[in-house]
Amino acid sequence: MFLLTLLAALTSVIVASPTIAPARRSLDGLLSQTISSGCSTSGTASCTNTTAISNTCCFESPGGLLVLTQFWDTNPSTGPSNSWTIHGLWPDHCDGSFDQNCDPSRDYTNIANLLTSQGASSTLSVMQMFWVDINGNDETFWEHEWSTHGTCYSTLRRSCLPSGSPTGAEAVAFFQTVVRLFQAIVQSFNIFGALQAAGITPSSTATHTLSSLQSALQTAFGVTPAFDCSSGAVNQAYIYFHLKGSVIDGAFVPINAPRAGSCPSTNIKYPLKSGTPTTTTVSHASQTGLPATATIRTLTSSGIVGGLLTLGTWSTQTLATMTLSGSPSGFTMTSSKGPCAVSGGSLNCGSGVTPSTFTAVSSGGNTLLAFGGSSSWTSDGVPSGTTVFTVFSGSSHAQDYQLVIT
């Protein structure tokens, strides 16, 4: 999920192939959408299918490598002095190539009015602060991002929208999703904060290595974005995703960037911005972080069926109260029996257990428990009565499900 423009050409490679990483918090559900796709978010992720999928209203193709691109503009400065800003969300092909300007008949103008008239004024407010043009032509910038990239999403074709959707509803959904992703990243993939935590702050004199930038974000997020530089100064970052479901309301799965970007290996500048810092966030309960305590419920294809007991097993009996310590991008979980960990593929909680680091992924309105980059869990059967089953990470056993933090 870059270069958005981004990604047009896959040059240097960070990893041999994009690998799904600990999907930080979900990257959905932070701002309500004005329409719903009706698509599942539990199916095959884009660019990971081994056979053709015909329903491209619910499977993004061919642009299944989604790239959220962010600017660090300093000459002139754009946006708050302590935040990167939005460039766009591009649907690259799985091999890094891309299409552009796919449907001139939907090159909508007056994006601000379109958003306001369709109940997305909160999205517009975020855009006016964080999605700004370096020359002050915000409206033209937004129109360009929609017509050049937004019209190329298969899941945003007019024929994929609910019956009776107003003209431009797919563009409204596009901007809502981009803002939703960006705000999730501000909370979970906060580039400014991650670099700052590693001692890398804007400066008029300091320089950095590419490996130090990459390491800071890998440590914070579990995935490595790509960086571009101009005249030796970092000015863009690209965060990649695979997508389950529709761009409208699907689940975005962060992956390692398939390219390193254009920055040199050493002497990279991270220049100061002018302007003032901000603490602006989207108002939504899920952005406040993890609850201190929670029950972990099991979400199967048939609905909620029980959840975790104190030993970390799956049961329909009285569920354990877990203590969560950390943030959505990395936390430990403890029951009354002791710390919880995934070891040898199975989940266990007990006094002699060395705790694992889990992550929280937001998907379909739920906050999911994830480990090792996946929110998939599996067991050998479905419990009932006093029968319990061991919980395994992944999807290699008879019954697959997700674990919901409630």
Side-chain angles (χ1 to χ4, degrees), residues 265-289:
S265 59
T266 60
N267 296 318
I268 299 171
K269 293 174 286 186
Y270 183 24
L272 291 160
K273 273 191 184 185
S274 59
T276 57
T278 181
T279 56
T280 300
T281 60
V282 174
S283 176
H284 192 284
S286 69
Q287 286 196 285
T288 59

Side-chain angles (χ1 to χ4, degrees), residues 46-382:
S46 59
C47 292
T48 67
N49 56 306
T50 56
T51 59
I53 294 179
S54 59
N55 181 13
T56 54
C57 284
C58 291
F59 181 81
E60 191 56 52
S61 177
L65 183 65
L66 279 67
V67 188
L68 183 68
T69 306
Q70 298 180 57
F71 280 132
W72 182 257
D73 286 329
T74 60
N75 186 28
S77 294
T78 61
S81 62
N82 63 341
S83 178
W84 291 58
T85 56
I86 301 169
H87 185 166
L89 181 67
W90 304 330
D92 284 2
H93 295 187
C94 303
D95 63 0
S97 62
F98 56 91
D99 298 320
Q100 292 185 341
N101 302 301
C102 296
D103 187 355
S105 71
R106 295 188 293 142
D107 287 356
Y108 303 121
T109 59
N110 200 346
I111 300 300
N113 182 67
L114 189 65
L115 292 167
T116 301
S117 66
Q118 295 191 27
S121 57
S122 60
T123 295
L124 177 61
S125 295
V126 175
M127 290 167 59
Q128 289 169 334
M129 177 174 288
F130 295 103
W131 198 341
V132 289
D133 179 63
I134 195 168
N135 297 311
N137 301 318
D138 295 350
E139 180 65 41
T140 300
F141 184 22
W142 300 335
E143 291 172 2
H144 166 82
E145 289 302 311
W146 163 252
S147 63
T148 304
H149 307 290
T151 60
C152 295
Y153 285 98
S154 70
T155 59
L156 291 180
R157 297 192 307 269
R158 290 287 304 171
S159 59
C160 297
L161 303 183
S163 176
S165 295
T167 299
E170 73 275 31
V172 172
F174 167 77
F175 288 106
Q176 287 180 309
T177 290
V178 178
V179 166
R180 189 159 48 90
L181 269 177
F182 176 75
Q183 290 289 37
I185 284 167
V186 166
Q187 296 298 310
S188 298
F189 286 94
N190 186 335
I191 295 175
F192 185 92
L195 293 174
Q196 185 178 55
I200 302 172
T201 57
S203 168
S204 59
T205 58
T207 60
H208 309 278
T209 63
L210 177 59
S211 62
S212 69
L213 300 180
Q214 293 172 337
S215 177
L217 299 188
Q218 176 67 37
T219 297
F221 310 146
V223 295
T224 305
F227 291 101
D228 275 354
C229 287
S230 176
S231 301
V234 63
N235 69 342
Q236 287 204 79
Y238 305 96
I239 301 176
Y240 289 76
F241 302 89
H242 290 155
L243 176 66
K244 293 184 176 184
S246 168
V247 171
I248 294 172
D249 49 14
F252 286 76
V253 183
I255 65 170
N256 286 330
R259 57 185 293 278
S262 66
C263 288
S265 59
T266 60
N267 296 318
I268 299 171
K269 293 174 286 186
Y270 183 24
L272 291 160
K273 273 191 184 185
S274 59
T276 57
T278 181
T279 56
T280 300
T281 60
V282 174
S283 176
H284 192 284
S286 69
Q287 286 196 285
T288 59
L290 287 171
T293 58
T295 54
I296 311 299
R297 302 182 185 276
T298 304
L299 177 61
T300 71
S301 58
S302 301
I304 295 292
V305 180
L308 297 188
L309 298 183
T310 55
L311 292 175
T313 51
W314 180 18
S315 172
T316 56
Q317 302 174 62
T318 302
L319 304 184
T321 297
M322 301 291 190
T323 299
L324 310 182
S325 301
S327 68
S329 61
F331 62 91
T332 57
M333 182 170 68
T334 305
S335 76
S336 61
K337 299 294 186 182
C340 300
V342 175
S343 178
S346 64
L347 176 66
N348 297 280
C349 304
S351 59
V353 172
T354 300
S356 291
T357 298
F358 300 91
T359 56
V361 178
S362 171
S363 178
N366 295 314
T367 301
L368 305 179
L369 182 70
F371 175 78
S374 173
S375 61
S376 297
W377 301 87
T378 187
S379 290
D380 292 325
V382 178

